[in-house]
Amino acid sequence: MIAAIRALDVPIRAEAGLTRRFEARRSIGTSKGPKAKVDWADLIGRVASHHDREAFKRLFEHFAPRIKGLMQKAGCSPDEAEEIAQTAMFAVWRKAGLFDPATAGAAAWIFTIARNLRIDLLRRRARTDRLEAVSELPDAPDPAEPADAVISRGQDAARIESAIKQLSAEQIMVVRLSFIEERAHPEIASLLGIPLGTVKSRIRLAMNRLRDILDEDT
């Protein structure tokens, strides 16, 4: 069943409450004189405790252009770098409560998020390259494989796809991340901002639910 799940591409709705992209005004002033030192950790704390949009705006306007520049220097295209910058800052908004100034500086924490997103991008590229290589093969069943086996496999995939759609949004998300994107459980916990035990519990419940649904169809 897991192999069939990995063959599916189940859409996940974006997280409610905030749009994925934040529009940042990039106007740069020519202020004279020394600039006051900004306590970035305090701004992150304000986002975490009060969802302070003004604090987030200051974080975004400072770090988003710097992340984009860093990603371009690392080899990303301008569009990829822009996407990583915006996604990283969206993660700062969602995960601000996880920031611990005692273990990492604010800038280091934010740039680590961006670097992890770049790693994810490289992984997606590798998977895309593998899929494109497979798609170039002749689109025909293995002559050694019986026709009824090919039909049965297609029917199984359709049944599993239908079953997945009956799961909760949280379960669909962990199933996709675990079995389709092949992410490790700790990575899923970090991406979703939830405890590792919660990730494992959701996956276990999702698999049990899938088995029940599939058993009902037989």
Side-chain angles (χ1 to χ4, degrees), residues 49-62:
S49 59
H50 305 298
H51 277 186
D52 188 325
R53 291 183 176 273
E54 183 59 32
F56 178 74
K57 176 184 174 184
R58 295 184 66 186
L59 288 165
F60 192 102
E61 291 181 342
H62 178 82

Side-chain angles (χ1 to χ4, degrees), residues 39-208:
D39 188 342
W40 302 115
D42 177 66
L43 293 179
I44 295 175
R46 285 159 54 185
V47 172
S49 59
H50 305 298
H51 277 186
D52 188 325
R53 291 183 176 273
E54 183 59 32
F56 178 74
K57 176 184 174 184
R58 295 184 66 186
L59 288 165
F60 192 102
E61 291 181 342
H62 178 82
F63 285 103
R66 288 163 173 78
I67 292 173
K68 181 177 180 180
L70 179 66
M71 293 300 107
Q72 287 187 259
K73 289 180 181 179
C76 293
S77 69
D79 286 344
E80 289 171 340
E82 178 76 18
E83 179 71 15
I84 289 174
Q86 294 190 11
T87 303
M89 296 312 299
F90 177 71
V92 169
W93 173 269
R94 290 192 300 110
K95 300 182 180 181
L98 301 178
F99 172 64
D100 183 359
T103 59
W109 182 68
I110 292 174
F111 283 115
T112 296
I113 292 174
R115 283 192 291 269
N116 288 339
L117 288 170
R118 179 175 177 268
I119 291 172
D120 290 342
L121 173 65
L122 295 176
R123 288 174 176 170
R124 289 196 299 271
R125 279 182 184 172
R127 281 196 292 269
T128 299
D129 291 342
R130 290 197 298 269
L131 289 173
E132 288 178 350
V134 172
S135 67
E136 292 175 357
L137 297 175
D139 187 13
D142 185 347
E145 185 176 17
D148 57 346
V150 176
I151 295 172
S152 176
R153 189 173 65 245
Q155 291 174 340
D156 287 343
R159 289 175 59 235
I160 292 174
E161 180 178 8
S162 176
I164 288 176
K165 291 179 180 179
Q166 299 180 51
L167 300 177
S168 67
E170 292 83 2
Q171 291 173 342
I172 291 175
M173 182 175 292
V174 294
V175 166
R176 178 190 176 107
L177 292 173
S178 179
F179 298 114
I180 296 177
E181 298 190 10
E182 300 182 1
R183 297 179 186 269
H185 291 180
E187 184 182 3
I188 296 174
S190 177
L191 286 170
L192 300 182
I194 59 178
L196 178 59
T198 302
V199 172
K200 294 181 178 180
S201 175
R202 288 183 183 177
I203 291 175
R204 184 175 63 254
L205 292 173
M207 299 306 293
N208 289 339

